[in-house]
Amino acid sequence: MAKKKRTKKTKRKKFVVWGICIPIVGVILFVFSVYAGAWGKLPTKEALADFQYQRASEVYTADSVLIGKYYLYDRQPIAYKAFPKHLVDALVAIEDERFYEHSGIDYFSLLRVAIKTILMQDQSAGGGSTLSQQLAKNLYPRSERKQTHIIVDKVKEMLIAKRLEGIFSKDEILAHYLNTVSFGDNTFGIESASLKFFNKKTSELKIEEAAVLIGMLKATYGYNPRVFPDKSLLRRNLVIQAMANNGFLTNTAHDSLSQLPLQLNYKKFDYNTGIAQYFREEVRKQLIKWVAAEKEKGNTYNIYTSGLKIYTTLNYKMQVLAEKAMKKHMASLQKSFEKSYGKNAPWIANKNIIKKAVHKTAQYKKLIKMGLTEAQAWDSLQQKRNMIFPEWSGEKTVVASTIDSVKHYMKFLNTGSLAIDPKTGAVQTWIGGIDFKHFKFDHVAQSRRQVGSTFKPFVYTAALEMGIPPCAYFSAREVEYENLKGWSPSNSGNKDEAYLNYSMEEALSKSVNTVAVKVLEATGIDNVLAQAQKMGIFSTLPKQPSLALGTGEIYLNELAGAYASYVNNGKAVFPYLVANITNQKDSVLANFKPKRARESAFSKQTGELMIEMMKSTINTGTASRIRTTYKLNNDIAGKTGTTQNNKDAWFVALTPKLVHITWVGLDNHEIGFKSTRLGQGANAALPIFALWMQQLNKDNNFDAITRAKFKKPNVYVRDQLNCDPIKKDGFFKRLFTNPDKKKSKKFKKKK
């Protein structure tokens, strides 16, 4: 019997031994199979040592303000030395308190998790992952969510963690971890998170702010301070408690920090939001061209992953003030514009215009391509659903159809505004439209519109260059040109103008159409076209007398570069946006030098005369509200412009240090302002500049610009302008002139 009992005991012992050994051997074999690559190859030490971050490229203003990023993953890696000590303390305290003691795997934590999970059935016990394992997970994200594969991934992460610990120091592992970890919303790395949630660099984070970001790592959405501030606050305080428990904070510091409210300074670097969206998009387009050119040289860059730093010419404070001025004016103008049309507005009552607009939409074209008839497509586009409509008061959700949407967008006035340094062409401010999110079209770089009376200075410049003196007089009487099919340009003045003769200075300042055409006639169309080309106008212009009235279509930035010649010794400039591009270590990859005309487009005397003549536009002419309404005393020359049927409103302002151009109108060329009073350049476009300049005047930082003075003209120039602005016809000429009857003649084409 004793022998049988011993045999049974021996069998039980063997069973227990085998019961223990087999799983252990199984685990060892499983781990070895993972190590051997049976479940997918592990990264080598060489690969781990040489991994590269996908870095977001950053866009900076001339005064080094970060205004945007281009990225697939919003990541800005920084060095360990940029981490404040309390950030590292918070991370170690809450995520891996034995980080400095283990070599990649914390066996004590694993045992604790195993006991709680297996024996105590505590599903909230956690995973026991070290920061080194979490880094491995960041570098090689899990591809499958099956339970079996998660076990494989866990083992892989442990093995990779061991290799990482053999390659990098503890500080380097922390740096790599904080540079790769996700904070949700496509934001990766502590620097990007710090900029997004607190609008400051990581090195500037306070203890409580660092605790908020570290607290997010457990659940990036659940503890997002913007979405769930209360939960984030509780989690932050838990991190602060962990810091105190691990000796990183005193009890006094813990108590005071825990009482602080949650305060964010959220700044999302989003394609559709933030400052200077149109400018950033134009920079992006130019960068793509640069990358393509560099590729041909053998240099491979990617604007979304190479971590480039793009330093632009934009002035941050100027841009902020410019956008503020634009929004203030355009919101007010939009109200007046809609009120002027009332219920008979084209976007409401004009079926033909609405039909054309609908036919241009991608939705309509798609339906027609699918084989639907026009009527069927129209019916489909009338189906209503929830839509978001932009308004100046903010977005609103409405129940509307695609056709309703077309009508809604048709009513909006839009704008383009640009300020450049006339000496270099460096862009100071750039506003491509009223709202980039809803109106992507850029009216600075993409839109070519009729420029109206802003073209007249080119006509008068050519006339002066041809030897016509500024005190030459031209009759304002309306003329019907027989050889131009009875074309008869007119003025907006009264009948008495038929008896008036204007000096060129007065005619330009008052923007007299009939005189501009006669000056063009005396100068010659070819000479005017040649003069405009010398001044940087590259668009093809109509070789017609209507050229004098600005029927030619020109890009806004093109016009700005040409006007710069008046304050740049006759030399046109080419507006540019990017100053230089560097890599992440600030090594310069490219410098962009200003491009300007090599030769002066006109004489120094002509330049001084034109500045004086355009000063008159500001002081006593069509732009006099600069002085009367907006009380601006700066040295300013300029020109207003309004095109036929009030489709386009323009204003050009010249100061010794700035060229500023504004256009206002509608994207639908068939719709204009209801009246000239509302749609003239002085009313629709000028206020954007005036409101902006008022704000610049209040800031002493801009004194070098706002207090700059034009050079006093020499004696000869002053003598040239010393004449009566207007001469009236004599008594007998007035007696035999019928102001209601147009003078008939042929337009003389000068050879």
Side-chain angles (χ1 to χ4, degrees):
M1 287 292 295
K3 188 176 181 180
K4 285 184 179 180
K5 286 183 179 180
R6 283 197 298 270
T7 303
K8 286 183 179 179
K9 285 183 180 180
T10 302
K11 286 183 178 180
R12 281 199 296 269
K13 285 181 181 179
K14 287 182 179 180
F15 181 79
V16 171
V17 170
W18 281 109
I20 295 172
C21 290
I22 289 175
I24 291 174
V25 171
V27 169
I28 293 172
L29 290 173
F30 174 69
V31 171
F32 181 78
S33 71
V34 174
Y35 178 83
W39 302 84
K41 287 185 177 181
L42 292 175
T44 63
K45 286 186 176 182
E46 291 75 15
L48 288 171
D50 194 40
F51 77 86
Q52 298 292 321
Y53 298 116
Q54 283 195 350
R55 305 168 185 259
S57 290
E58 304 160 7
V59 184
Y60 291 89
T61 61
D63 38 349
S64 299
V65 178
L66 177 64
I67 58 171
K69 303 179 187 179
Y70 308 123
Y71 58 84
L72 299 178
Y73 304 103
D74 185 4
R75 178 187 288 122
Q76 294 168 263
I78 56 176
Y80 178 83
K81 63 182 180 181
F83 300 152
K85 183 178 182 300
H86 53 258
L87 173 72
V88 175
D89 291 343
L91 176 64
V92 171
I94 196 71
E95 291 290 331
D96 190 356
E97 59 186 5
R98 277 180 293 279
F99 174 71
Y100 293 104
E101 299 167 15
H102 63 68
S103 58
I105 303 173
D106 187 346
Y107 297 104
F108 179 82
S109 290
L110 282 176
L111 181 62
R112 171 182 54 81
V113 171
I115 292 172
K116 284 189 175 183
T117 304
I118 298 172
L119 299 180
M120 301 174 64
Q121 298 295 303
D122 183 358
Q123 299 301 317
S124 63
S129 293
T130 65
L131 287 173
S132 303
Q133 289 172 247
Q134 291 180 47
L135 172 59
K137 183 178 175 182
N138 293 344
L139 297 177
Y140 301 95
R142 297 172 182 175
S143 56
E144 295 185 33
R145 307 310 302 172
K146 293 179 181 178
Q147 192 66 33
T148 54
H149 213 283
I150 287 176
I151 297 172
V152 172
D153 285 332
K154 279 279 189 182
V155 175
K156 279 186 176 182
E157 288 160 11
M158 291 180 188
L159 295 172
I160 294 172
K162 292 287 288 184
R163 288 184 180 180
L164 288 170
E165 291 269 353
I167 298 169
F168 300 112
S169 68
K170 289 289 187 179
D171 289 352
E172 288 173 330
I173 287 175
L174 287 174
H176 287 317
Y177 174 76
L178 283 171
N179 282 324
T180 56
V181 68
S182 171
F183 286 88
D185 295 337
N186 204 27
T187 302
F188 293 81
I190 190 66
E191 183 78 343
S192 292
S194 180
L195 288 166
K196 176 176 283 189
F197 290 99
F198 297 105
N199 193 23
K200 61 173 65 173
K201 292 181 177 296
T202 304
S203 59
E204 300 168 346
L205 286 172
K206 298 177 182 178
I207 296 174
E208 66 274 17
E209 293 168 340
V212 169
L213 297 180
I214 295 301
M216 290 179 67
L217 299 178
K218 184 175 178 63
T220 56
Y221 180 72
Y223 294 119
N224 186 311
R226 180 180 61 84
V227 182
F228 303 108
D230 293 338
K231 290 177 67 176
S232 176
L233 183 63
L234 290 173
R235 179 65 181 171
R236 181 204 72 177
N237 289 345
L238 188 62
V239 173
I240 292 172
Q241 179 66 59
M243 293 174 73
N245 292 344
N246 283 273
F248 296 132
L249 289 177
T250 64
N251 290 332
T252 303
H254 162 265
D255 293 342
S256 61
L257 289 169
S258 299
Q259 297 303 313
L260 293 174
L262 180 67
Q263 291 184 324
L264 302 180
N265 185 3
Y266 191 80
K267 186 176 183 181
K268 186 177 181 180
F269 292 96
D270 182 75
Y271 183 67
N272 287 316
T273 60
I275 193 172
Q277 305 104 311
Y278 293 94
F279 176 83
R280 287 170 5 221
E281 172 60 9
E282 182 61 21
V283 169
R284 187 188 70 85
K285 290 177 181 177
Q286 294 188 14
L287 278 175
I288 289 173
K289 293 179 181 178
W290 175 78
V291 166
E294 287 295 306
K295 189 175 182 180
E296 293 181 2
K297 300 176 186 177
N299 299 322
T300 304
Y301 300 113
N302 186 311
I303 67 171
Y304 304 107
T305 62
S306 295
L308 303 172
K309 290 185 178 181
I310 302 99
Y311 294 95
T312 70
T313 62
L314 199 77
N315 184 294
Y316 179 78
K317 187 67 177 292
M318 278 188 175
Q319 180 71 21
V320 170
L321 295 175
E323 291 185 12
K324 183 178 178 181
M326 179 275 290
K327 291 174 182 177
K328 180 178 180 180
H329 172 65
M330 293 301 293
S332 174
L333 185 65
Q334 184 70 38
K335 287 181 181 179
S336 299
F337 174 70
E338 292 182 37
K339 185 178 179 181
S340 70
Y341 272 111
K343 295 181 180 179
N344 293 318
W347 56 89
I348 298 174
N350 193 315
K351 294 181 180 180
N352 188 43
I353 289 179
I354 295 169
K355 184 177 180 180
K356 287 181 182 178
V358 171
H359 285 188
K360 290 179 181 178
T361 63
Q363 297 95 320
Y364 177 83
K365 292 177 181 178
K366 182 179 180 180
L367 292 172
I368 294 299
K369 193 174 182 179
M370 289 169 59
L372 273 68
T373 65
E374 180 179 340
Q376 289 172 330
W378 194 270
D379 286 341
S380 177
L381 296 176
Q382 284 184 317
Q383 300 299 314
K384 296 185 183 293
R385 61 188 185 281
N386 285 335
M387 303 180 78
I388 295 176
F389 277 7
E391 293 283 4
W392 276 106
S393 57
E395 294 182 340
K396 65 177 183 180
T397 302
V398 298
V399 178
S401 67
T402 299
I403 294 174
D404 294 329
S405 177
V406 170
K407 293 177 182 179
H408 181 75
Y409 279 88
M410 277 173 63
K411 73 178 182 180
F412 279 98
L413 292 166
N414 223 310
T415 187
S417 177
L418 179 71
I420 66 170
D421 179 339
K423 303 297 181 185
T424 64
V427 170
Q428 305 292 288
T429 68
W430 178 300
I431 297 175
I434 56 172
D435 179 4
F436 185 76
K437 182 178 180 180
H438 298 286
F439 302 90
K440 292 288 191 289
F441 189 74
D442 189 339
H443 296 90
V444 173
Q446 293 178 279
S447 178
R448 193 157 56 179
R449 303 284 293 227
Q450 288 189 354
V451 292
S453 295
T454 59
F455 189 81
K456 289 176 182 175
F458 303 125
V459 177
Y460 285 79
T461 300
L464 292 173
E465 286 291 283
M466 290 295 293
I468 300 174
C471 280
Y473 289 92
F474 292 85
S475 171
R477 186 179 179 185
E478 191 172 339
V479 174
E480 186 175 82
Y481 294 98
E482 299 169 0
N483 57 340
L484 298 175
K485 299 180 180 180
W487 180 62
S488 179
S490 60
N491 303 317
S492 57
N494 52 43
K495 293 180 180 180
D496 288 343
E497 283 196 332
Y499 307 124
L500 303 181
N501 300 281
Y502 286 82
S503 70
M504 289 214 298
E505 178 182 19
E506 185 69 6
L508 181 62
S509 71
K510 297 297 193 294
S511 203
V512 183
N513 289 337
T514 53
V515 172
V517 174
K518 290 168 185 174
V519 173
L520 176 77
E521 183 180 22
T523 306
I525 295 176
D526 288 341
N527 291 324
V528 171
L529 289 171
Q531 184 64 58
Q533 191 173 28
K534 286 180 184 178
M535 295 172 68
I537 299 298
F538 54 80
S539 292
T540 302
L541 301 175
K543 198 174 180 179
Q544 300 292 334
S546 61
L547 174 70
L549 307 182
T551 54
E553 296 181 346
I554 298 175
Y555 292 105
L556 193 150
N557 53 351
E558 175 187 5
L559 192 63
Y563 262 95
S565 61
Y566 290 120
V567 282
N568 190 34
N569 301 315
K571 295 180 180 180
V573 298
F574 301 89
Y576 73 105
L577 296 75
V578 179
N580 57 68
I581 301 171
T582 74
N583 60 19
Q584 194 68 21
K585 296 180 180 178
D586 286 325
S587 297
V588 177
L589 303 176
N591 278 313
F592 298 89
K593 295 181 180 179
K595 294 181 181 179
R596 49 194 147 183
R598 294 180 180 178
E599 298 179 358
S600 296
F602 45 77
S603 68
K604 181 180 178 182
Q605 178 181 304
T606 293
E608 290 184 3
L609 285 168
M610 287 303 301
I611 286 294
E612 294 303 308
M613 290 164 69
M614 286 189 283
K615 279 183 183 178
S616 295
T617 302
I618 301 294
N619 296 331
T620 60
T622 55
S624 60
R625 66 177 67 187
I626 284 280
R627 306 296 190 203
T628 58
T629 303
Y630 296 99
K631 310 298 182 185
L632 294 175
N633 295 317
N634 312 72
D635 262 25
I636 304 171
K639 189 70 192 77
T640 57
T642 312
T643 61
Q644 192 174 15
N645 298 323
N646 309 308
K647 299 287 180 66
D648 306 274
W650 292 86
F651 180 64
V652 178
L654 299 175
T655 78
K657 296 292 182 71
L658 281 177
V659 172
H660 187 281
I661 296 189
T662 303
W663 166 87
V664 173
L666 288 98
D667 289 328
N668 191 316
H669 289 234
E670 293 190 69
I671 305 175
F673 286 89
K674 180 75 170 178
S675 66
T676 301
R677 180 193 63 79
L678 188 63
Q680 63 183 313
N683 182 72
L686 178 150
I688 291 179
F689 166 79
L691 292 168
W692 179 61
M693 185 56 67
Q694 282 181 337
Q695 296 306 309
L696 294 186
N697 284 340
K698 295 177 182 179
D699 192 332
N700 294 335
N701 292 316
F702 299 119
D703 282 355
I705 293 172
T706 57
R707 296 190 178 186
K709 302 291 183 184
F710 288 117
K711 288 176 63 177
K712 288 186 178 180
N714 60 45
V715 175
Y716 180 77
V717 169
R718 291 199 298 269
D719 288 343
Q720 286 271 296
L721 295 168
N722 188 18
C723 58
D724 293 330
I726 299 174
K727 284 185 178 181
K728 203 169 187 178
D729 287 338
F731 172 75
F732 286 105
K733 190 171 183 179
R734 296 201 306 272
L735 184 65
F736 293 103
T737 298
N738 182 356
D740 294 322
K741 187 177 181 181
K742 300 175 185 177
K743 183 179 179 180
S744 182
K745 67 181 287 285
K746 289 185 177 182
F747 185 90
K748 296 179 181 178
K749 295 184 179 180
K750 191 169 182 175
K751 296 181 180 179

